[in-house]
Amino acid sequence: MRSLSQTQIIQSLGEALTWRERELAWGTPAQELRHLTGRIGELYAAMITRGQMATSVNKMGYDVVGRSGERISVKTVTSGNHVAFKKSTISEVDRVLVLRIEDIDGETTIDELYDLSVDELGEIGRPYEDTLRLTTNLKQFEKMERPDARSVVEVVHEGYDIAALETGTIRVVRDGVEVAPVKPVLRRLADQLNITILNANGNPKNTRSLGADVITAIQEVQST
Protein backbone atom coordinates (compact mmCIF):
# COMPACT_ATOMS: atom_id res chain seq x y z
CA MET A 1 0.00 0.00 0.00
CA ARG A 2 1.48 3.34 -1.03
CA SER A 3 1.67 6.18 1.46
CA LEU A 4 -1.07 8.79 1.41
CA SER A 5 -0.53 12.49 1.94
CA GLN A 6 -2.38 14.20 4.77
CA THR A 7 -4.52 15.96 2.17
CA GLN A 8 -5.47 12.61 0.60
CA ILE A 9 -6.34 11.20 4.01
CA ILE A 10 -8.55 14.21 4.77
CA GLN A 11 -10.23 13.90 1.36
CA SER A 12 -10.86 10.19 1.91
CA LEU A 13 -12.29 10.91 5.34
CA GLY A 14 -14.64 13.52 3.88
CA GLU A 15 -15.78 11.11 1.17
CA ALA A 16 -16.41 8.32 3.70
CA LEU A 17 -18.41 10.68 5.93
CA THR A 18 -20.48 11.81 2.93
CA TRP A 19 -21.14 8.21 1.92
CA ARG A 20 -22.28 7.34 5.45
CA GLU A 21 -24.62 10.33 5.59
CA ARG A 22 -26.04 9.31 2.19
CA GLU A 23 -26.70 5.75 3.40
CA LEU A 24 -28.42 7.04 6.52
CA ALA A 25 -30.56 9.38 4.40
CA TRP A 26 -31.61 6.35 2.35
CA GLY A 27 -32.80 4.72 5.56
CA THR A 28 -29.93 2.28 6.11
CA PRO A 29 -29.67 1.47 9.85
CA ALA A 30 -26.43 2.71 11.41
CA GLN A 31 -25.62 -0.79 12.66
CA GLU A 32 -25.52 -1.99 9.04
CA LEU A 33 -22.69 0.46 8.30
CA ARG A 34 -20.10 -1.03 10.67
CA HIS A 35 -17.44 -1.48 7.99
CA LEU A 36 -17.81 2.14 6.84
CA THR A 37 -17.86 3.34 10.45
CA GLY A 38 -14.62 1.48 11.14
CA ARG A 39 -12.97 2.95 8.05
CA ILE A 40 -13.97 6.47 9.11
CA GLY A 41 -12.37 5.89 12.50
CA GLU A 42 -9.14 4.63 10.98
CA LEU A 43 -8.89 7.58 8.57
CA TYR A 44 -9.60 9.99 11.42
CA ALA A 45 -6.86 8.38 13.51
CA ALA A 46 -4.40 8.60 10.61
CA MET A 47 -5.30 12.27 10.21
CA ILE A 48 -4.86 13.36 13.82
CA THR A 49 -1.62 11.40 14.24
CA ARG A 50 -0.33 12.48 10.81
CA GLY A 51 0.27 8.81 10.17
CA GLN A 52 -0.65 6.09 7.69
CA MET A 53 -3.08 3.19 7.46
CA ALA A 54 -1.47 -0.10 8.46
CA THR A 55 -0.49 -2.21 5.44
CA SER A 56 -2.00 -5.38 6.96
CA VAL A 57 -5.10 -4.14 8.74
CA ASN A 58 -5.80 -5.98 12.00
CA LYS A 59 -3.25 -8.71 11.17
CA MET A 60 -1.19 -7.78 14.22
CA GLY A 61 -3.88 -5.95 16.18
CA TYR A 62 -3.27 -2.40 14.99
CA ASP A 63 -4.86 -0.28 12.28
CA VAL A 64 -2.77 2.88 11.97
CA VAL A 65 0.92 3.71 12.24
CA GLY A 66 1.46 7.22 13.61
CA ARG A 67 3.99 9.69 12.29
CA SER A 68 6.47 8.70 15.01
CA GLY A 69 6.01 4.98 14.23
CA GLU A 70 3.64 4.16 17.10
CA ARG A 71 1.22 1.33 16.34
CA ILE A 72 -2.39 2.35 17.05
CA SER A 73 -5.42 0.12 17.52
CA VAL A 74 -8.60 2.02 16.62
CA LYS A 75 -12.12 1.14 17.77
CA THR A 76 -15.07 3.17 16.46
CA VAL A 77 -18.60 2.85 17.88
CA THR A 78 -22.03 4.33 17.29
CA SER A 79 -23.73 2.53 20.17
CA GLY A 80 -23.06 -0.27 22.63
CA ASN A 81 -21.60 -0.40 26.11
CA HIS A 82 -17.99 -1.42 25.61
CA VAL A 83 -15.09 -2.13 23.27
CA ALA A 84 -12.68 -5.01 23.72
CA PHE A 85 -8.98 -5.40 22.95
CA LYS A 86 -7.54 -8.91 22.62
CA LYS A 87 -4.82 -9.71 25.14
CA SER A 88 -3.13 -11.96 22.56
CA THR A 89 -2.29 -9.04 20.24
CA ILE A 90 -2.05 -6.08 22.62
CA SER A 91 1.72 -6.55 22.89
CA GLU A 92 1.92 -5.51 19.21
CA VAL A 93 0.22 -2.17 19.97
CA ASP A 94 1.60 1.07 21.43
CA ARG A 95 -1.57 3.14 21.68
CA VAL A 96 -5.35 2.64 21.62
CA LEU A 97 -7.89 5.15 20.33
CA VAL A 98 -11.64 4.76 20.90
CA LEU A 99 -13.97 6.99 18.89
CA ARG A 100 -17.72 7.53 18.91
CA ILE A 101 -19.59 8.63 15.77
CA GLU A 102 -22.84 10.53 16.26
CA ASP A 103 -25.23 12.31 13.92
CA ILE A 104 -26.12 15.86 14.94
CA ASP A 105 -28.21 18.22 12.79
CA GLY A 106 -27.75 16.03 9.72
CA GLU A 107 -23.96 15.90 9.96
CA THR A 108 -21.64 13.29 11.40
CA THR A 109 -19.48 14.21 14.38
CA ILE A 110 -16.53 12.27 15.78
CA ASP A 111 -15.72 12.32 19.49
CA GLU A 112 -12.62 10.84 21.12
CA LEU A 113 -13.63 8.70 24.09
CA TYR A 114 -10.19 7.31 24.91
CA ASP A 115 -6.63 7.98 23.78
CA LEU A 116 -4.44 5.70 25.88
CA SER A 117 -1.04 4.09 25.92
CA VAL A 118 -1.05 0.31 26.27
CA ASP A 119 0.14 0.71 29.88
CA GLU A 120 -2.83 2.97 30.63
CA LEU A 121 -5.17 0.45 28.96
CA GLY A 122 -3.77 -2.22 31.27
CA GLU A 123 -4.50 -0.03 34.28
CA ILE A 124 -8.10 0.92 33.51
CA GLY A 125 -9.26 -1.85 31.14
CA ARG A 126 -11.56 -4.46 32.72
CA PRO A 127 -10.38 -8.05 32.12
CA TYR A 128 -13.01 -10.25 30.49
CA GLU A 129 -12.07 -13.69 29.18
CA ASP A 130 -9.18 -13.07 26.73
CA THR A 131 -9.80 -9.30 26.38
CA LEU A 132 -9.49 -5.95 28.13
CA ARG A 133 -12.69 -3.91 27.99
CA LEU A 134 -13.36 -0.16 28.08
CA THR A 135 -16.83 1.20 28.69
CA THR A 136 -18.46 3.32 25.95
CA ASN A 137 -21.76 3.73 27.80
CA LEU A 138 -22.33 7.47 28.05
CA LYS A 139 -24.17 7.03 31.34
CA GLN A 140 -20.91 5.77 32.81
CA PHE A 141 -18.48 7.75 30.73
CA GLU A 142 -18.32 11.53 30.33
CA LYS A 143 -17.07 12.44 26.87
CA MET A 144 -13.93 14.50 26.66
CA GLU A 145 -14.37 17.95 25.14
CA ARG A 146 -11.69 19.20 22.75
CA PRO A 147 -11.68 23.02 23.01
CA ASP A 148 -7.93 23.04 22.36
CA ALA A 149 -8.09 21.01 19.14
CA ARG A 150 -5.07 21.60 16.93
CA SER A 151 -4.99 22.39 13.23
CA VAL A 152 -4.01 19.45 11.01
CA VAL A 153 -3.95 21.47 7.78
CA GLU A 154 -4.11 25.26 7.52
CA VAL A 155 -4.09 27.67 4.56
CA VAL A 156 -4.48 31.41 4.09
CA HIS A 157 -6.41 32.73 1.11
CA GLU A 158 -7.73 36.26 0.40
CA GLY A 159 -7.57 37.23 4.06
CA TYR A 160 -9.16 34.05 5.33
CA ASP A 161 -7.28 31.63 7.58
CA ILE A 162 -8.90 28.25 6.91
CA ALA A 163 -8.01 25.23 9.05
CA ALA A 164 -9.08 21.59 9.28
CA LEU A 165 -8.89 20.72 12.98
CA GLU A 166 -7.99 17.30 14.38
CA THR A 167 -11.63 16.89 15.43
CA GLY A 168 -12.71 17.19 11.78
CA THR A 169 -14.16 20.68 12.26
CA ILE A 170 -13.43 23.37 9.66
CA ARG A 171 -12.45 26.70 11.23
CA VAL A 172 -12.34 30.03 9.38
CA VAL A 173 -10.75 33.16 10.85
CA ARG A 174 -10.57 36.64 9.31
CA ASP A 175 -8.79 39.63 10.87
CA GLY A 176 -8.33 37.62 14.05
CA VAL A 177 -12.05 36.93 14.42
CA GLU A 178 -13.51 33.45 14.02
CA VAL A 179 -16.21 33.34 11.34
CA ALA A 180 -19.49 31.59 12.14
CA PRO A 181 -21.19 30.00 10.36
CA VAL A 182 -18.37 28.98 8.03
CA LYS A 183 -20.36 27.35 5.25
CA PRO A 184 -21.33 30.59 3.40
CA VAL A 185 -17.64 31.57 3.24
CA LEU A 186 -16.66 28.12 2.01
CA ARG A 187 -19.33 28.28 -0.69
CA ARG A 188 -18.08 31.66 -1.92
CA LEU A 189 -14.52 30.40 -2.05
CA ALA A 190 -15.65 27.20 -3.77
CA ASP A 191 -17.30 29.29 -6.47
CA GLN A 192 -14.10 31.30 -6.98
CA LEU A 193 -12.03 28.13 -7.15
CA ASN A 194 -14.45 26.31 -9.50
CA ILE A 195 -15.30 23.65 -6.91
CA THR A 196 -18.71 22.02 -6.98
CA ILE A 197 -20.67 22.36 -3.76
CA LEU A 198 -22.59 19.13 -4.53
CA ASN A 199 -21.50 15.63 -3.61
CA ALA A 200 -21.69 12.53 -5.81
CA ASN A 201 -25.34 12.06 -4.87
CA GLY A 202 -26.24 15.56 -6.04
CA ASN A 203 -26.74 16.86 -2.51
CA PRO A 204 -24.88 19.81 -0.94
CA LYS A 205 -21.57 18.76 0.61
CA ASN A 206 -21.38 18.98 4.36
CA THR A 207 -19.06 21.53 5.95
CA ARG A 208 -16.20 19.07 6.48
CA SER A 209 -16.25 17.77 2.92
CA LEU A 210 -16.55 21.22 1.34
CA GLY A 211 -13.87 22.62 3.64
CA ALA A 212 -11.45 19.81 2.75
CA ASP A 213 -12.03 20.44 -0.97
CA VAL A 214 -11.48 24.19 -0.57
CA ILE A 215 -8.26 23.66 1.39
CA THR A 216 -6.99 21.22 -1.26
CA ALA A 217 -7.78 23.63 -4.11
CA ILE A 218 -6.01 26.52 -2.34
CA GLN A 219 -2.95 24.34 -1.74
CA GLU A 220 -2.88 23.45 -5.43
CA VAL A 221 -3.13 27.12 -6.47
CA GLN A 222 -0.38 28.13 -4.06
CA SER A 223 1.94 25.35 -5.23
CA THR A 224 1.86 26.45 -8.88
Side-chain angles (χ1 to χ4, degrees):
M1 180 183 294
R2 68 183 180 87
S3 297
L4 300 177
S5 68
Q6 278 295 297
T7 298
Q8 289 172 320
I9 288 173
I10 292 170
Q11 286 178 318
S12 296
L13 176 58
E15 291 167 1
L17 287 166
T18 297
W19 185 262
R20 182 177 183 277
E21 289 168 1
R22 182 188 304 134
E23 290 280 357
L24 292 173
W26 288 341
T28 306
Q31 58 268 28
E32 299 297 324
L33 301 174
R34 292 187 185 91
H35 176 72
L36 185 55
T37 298
R39 188 66 172 176
I40 289 170
E42 291 165 6
L43 287 165
Y44 176 87
M47 180 185 73
I48 66 171
T49 63
R50 302 191 181 188
Q52 290 292 322
M53 314 295 283
T55 54
S56 298
V57 178
N58 288 329
K59 182 178 180 182
M60 297 301 293
Y62 59 93
D63 310 286
V64 170
V65 179
R67 187 178 185 180
S68 62
E70 59 184 348
R71 300 160 298 176
I72 306 167
S73 178
V74 184
K75 303 288 186 183
T76 309
V77 300
T78 57
S79 59
N81 295 319
H82 69 268
V83 294
F85 296 88
K86 292 183 179 180
K87 294 179 181 178
S88 60
T89 57
I90 202 64
S91 62
E92 302 294 334
V93 176
D94 303 304
R95 176 178 174 186
V96 299
L97 187 63
V98 181
L99 309 172
R100 174 181 289 273
I101 292 183
E102 296 182 289
D103 299 285
I104 300 175
D105 296 330
E107 292 194 359
T108 302
T109 64
I110 304 174
D111 291 310
E112 295 178 28
L113 300 185
Y114 297 95
D115 185 353
L116 306 172
S117 68
V118 170
D119 289 341
E120 290 171 325
L121 172 64
E123 291 174 1
I124 70 173
R126 182 168 60 87
Y128 180 79
E129 296 181 347
D130 64 341
T131 67
L132 289 172
R133 287 186 172 187
L134 294 173
T135 181
T136 57
N137 188 323
L138 294 187
K139 292 181 180 179
Q140 303 174 31
F141 179 85
E142 183 177 353
K143 292 186 294 184
M144 182 185 301
E145 296 295 331
R146 297 297 302 277
D148 58 342
R150 296 167 295 178
S151 298
V152 176
V153 179
E154 190 169 354
V155 296
V156 176
H157 181 73
E158 294 192 353
Y160 290 102
D161 187 322
I162 307 163
L165 304 185
E166 59 184 356
T167 56
T169 300
I170 301 297
R171 183 189 64 197
V172 178
V173 175
R174 185 166 195 179
D175 298 327
V177 179
E178 188 164 347
V179 177
V182 303
K183 205 163 191 179
V185 174
L186 294 176
R187 284 177 171 169
R188 287 199 299 272
L189 294 175
D191 183 60
Q192 295 174 13
L193 297 163
N194 295 317
I195 299 170
T196 178
I197 64 171
L198 302 179
N199 59 32
N201 198 38
N203 296 319
K205 294 176 182 175
N206 61 34
T207 302
R208 290 180 179 82
S209 180
L210 183 59
D213 288 347
V214 167
I215 288 172
T216 298
I218 292 172
Q219 288 178 320
E220 290 174 351
V221 169
Q222 293 177 345
S223 66
T224 58

